[in-house]
Amino acid sequence: MERTKILVTGGAGYIGSHAVVELYEAGFQPVIVDDFSNSQESSIQGIEAILNTRIACHRIDCGDVEALRAVFAEEGSLRGVIHFAAFKAVGESVQKPLAYYQNNVGSLLTLLTVMQEFGVPNLVFSSSCTVYGIPDALPVTEQTPTKPANSPYGNTKKICEDIITDVVHAPGSTVRGILLRYFNPIGAHPSAKIGELPLGVPQNLIPFVTQTAAGIREKLTIYGNTYDTPDGTNIRDYIHVVDLAKAHVIAVQRLLDGTGAVVETFNVGTGRGDSVLEVVHAFEQATGQKLNYVIGAARAGDVPAIYADVTKAREELGFQTTSTLEEALASAWKWQRTLKK
Ligand code: UD1
């Protein structure tokens, strides 16, 4: 039987590459679009090594309308799109807001336009728990009010959610959408053939932890220990990237089945909050590596604590995570050791 084709923008990136693997393993035919501005060719090789097959990959910027039209025309019969392609560095977005709005909002507008032109009906969008800002109560449900974004990056996610919501509700719209609000994805594929490839000094916690354990960085700085949390460090909901990738397969299938509303929002997390110190200790436990760390100043814009209420994803998508924090951290360490070779 012919596989159903799903376009994956940003499919060479960290979450995208894991989603491509899970899509293929679930019987879909993923087609990658990536401009490799924040990803490497090696991730395509990793994907193909895991799947033992070739995966079509178009090296284009998905904000380039002509190039995107050419991909839709060449591929034909696309049944859906997962839109990962976006800039994602919070600090950089404060320095370069125009680049963030141009790239993140611009590429979504282009993508929706071309999807409508070609009658491609289904869109899964990579959103973020950043839309909740500093929440008034925990855990956050999908009904928790969104807050003004504290970075241009976060604002692009809110704006893109609003754009998709308006587009699907327009009279005669042929597009349906699922907005997935990710918590903190970590870890790597168990094969260690794909994983996170940060450019330069990692801004996110786990790649900094693994690079420190590998001796690439001297020490981890924990950004503040005087927050109003049990041990004073920030609390996040860390989800194994393979679990997160699987949520996309379920979302795609739900859109194809047409069982949900025209647009739906889901939190994708574990439902559990862990502090930075708990993550450090879990890493040490899971890997046997002692981590050199110091407590430093708080990072501007950090949310003290956030984790997901996962009831809606469980009840309506049937989605549940299966990996523990320790398993996710062990997979991140296995990946780091592969990189060092
Ligand atoms: C943030 C956003 C998320 C966005 C992501 C993109 C929120 C709640 N989350 O994630 O939506 O997609 O950026 O990068 O706004 N930490 C250290 N030392 C380090 C690095 C991090 O202590 O060297 C701490 C941070 O203070 C934070 C935790 O580790 O408490 C996780 O940080 P990080 O991995 O950067 O993710 P978020 O900031 O949660």
Side-chain angles (χ1 to χ4, degrees):
M1 212 181 77
E2 189 118 325
R3 287 170 173 260
T4 303
K5 268 192 194 176
I6 304 294
L7 193 74
V8 184
T9 76
Y14 174 43
I15 308 171
S17 58
H18 290 83
V20 165
V21 168
E22 296 306 317
L23 278 170
Y24 188 84
E25 288 186 338
F28 293 97
Q29 186 63 54
V31 174
I32 297 173
V33 159
D34 207 298
D35 68 355
F36 294 92
S37 61
N38 190 23
S39 56
Q40 315 266 324
E41 299 278 356
S42 59
S43 70
I44 306 295
Q45 292 155 18
I47 290 167
E48 293 182 342
I50 292 167
L51 298 175
N52 196 23
T53 188
R54 293 298 305 272
I55 297 294
C57 176
H58 301 268
R59 190 189 190 102
I60 64 153
D61 172 352
C62 78
D64 178 341
V65 67
E66 287 308 328
L68 197 61
R69 278 189 185 121
V71 170
F72 274 63
E74 184 186 332
E75 291 295 341
S77 69
L78 290 169
R79 297 288 299 135
V81 180
I82 309 181
H83 185 45
F84 292 103
F87 293 156
K88 62 169 184 180
V90 175
E92 183 186 59
S93 78
V94 177
Q95 308 299 319
K96 301 180 184 171
L98 265 180
Y100 272 68
Y101 287 110
Q102 183 75 53
N103 188 56
N104 294 8
V105 180
S107 66
L108 175 70
L109 295 175
T110 305
L111 179 64
L112 283 167
T113 303
V114 177
M115 284 176 70
Q116 287 189 331
E117 285 173 7
F118 284 80
V120 177
N122 302 309
L123 177 65
V124 178
F125 177 68
S126 294
S127 191
S128 165
C129 68
T130 194
V131 300
Y132 298 116
I134 299 179
D136 297 328
L138 290 171
V140 290
T141 74
E142 292 79 357
Q143 267 67 56
T144 296
T146 60
K147 294 264 180 82
N150 59 2
S151 72
Y153 159 78
N155 206 26
T156 67
K157 292 296 173 190
K158 286 188 69 177
I159 292 170
C160 288
E161 285 197 357
D162 289 346
I163 290 170
I164 294 166
T165 304
D166 287 345
V167 167
V168 301
H169 284 121
S173 170
T174 50
V175 178
R176 306 163 71 87
I178 289 184
L179 315 174
L180 297 181
R181 291 178 176 162
Y182 310 156
F183 285 70
N184 287 56
I186 62 166
H189 193 267
S191 66
K193 294 189 192 308
I194 53 172
E196 195 166 2
L197 283 167
L199 288 179
V201 181
Q203 307 296 307
N204 294 113
L205 178 62
I206 303 311
F208 206 102
V209 164
T210 58
Q211 287 195 7
T212 304
I216 300 167
R217 311 280 159 206
E218 188 204 335
K219 58 178 185 292
L220 168 75
T221 301
I222 293 181
Y223 296 138
N225 68 347
T226 56
Y227 286 96
D228 185 15
T229 60
D231 66 21
T233 65
N234 288 165
I235 291 174
R236 295 286 183 274
D237 183 335
Y238 295 93
I239 176 171
H240 196 305
V241 67
V242 173
D243 278 330
L244 175 58
K246 289 182 172 151
H248 293 78
V249 177
I250 297 173
V252 162
Q253 191 60 57
R254 182 175 176 89
L255 287 167
L256 291 169
D257 294 344
T259 42
V262 286
V263 63
E264 296 179 300
T265 305
F266 294 99
N267 285 340
V268 192
T270 65
R272 196 179 121 147
D274 287 291
S275 75
V276 181
L277 269 173
E278 284 169 334
V279 169
V280 166
H281 294 140
F283 179 81
E284 292 182 331
Q285 277 276 307
T287 65
Q289 297 295 307
K290 191 98 198 79
L291 200 74
N292 189 20
Y293 71 86
V294 293
I295 306 290
R299 179 169 70 174
D302 264 339
V303 171
I306 188 162
Y307 55 95
D309 184 312
V310 295
T311 312
K312 188 179 176 196
R314 187 178 62 231
E315 290 183 353
E316 295 188 30
L317 295 180
F319 171 73
Q320 253 175 312
T321 57
T322 57
S323 294
T324 63
L325 177 64
E326 285 74 13
E327 284 164 350
L329 292 168
S331 73
W333 177 233
K334 184 178 175 192
W335 167 244
Q336 180 66 55
R337 281 178 302 159
T338 313
L339 290 179
K340 235 197 145 186
K341 272 182 208 148

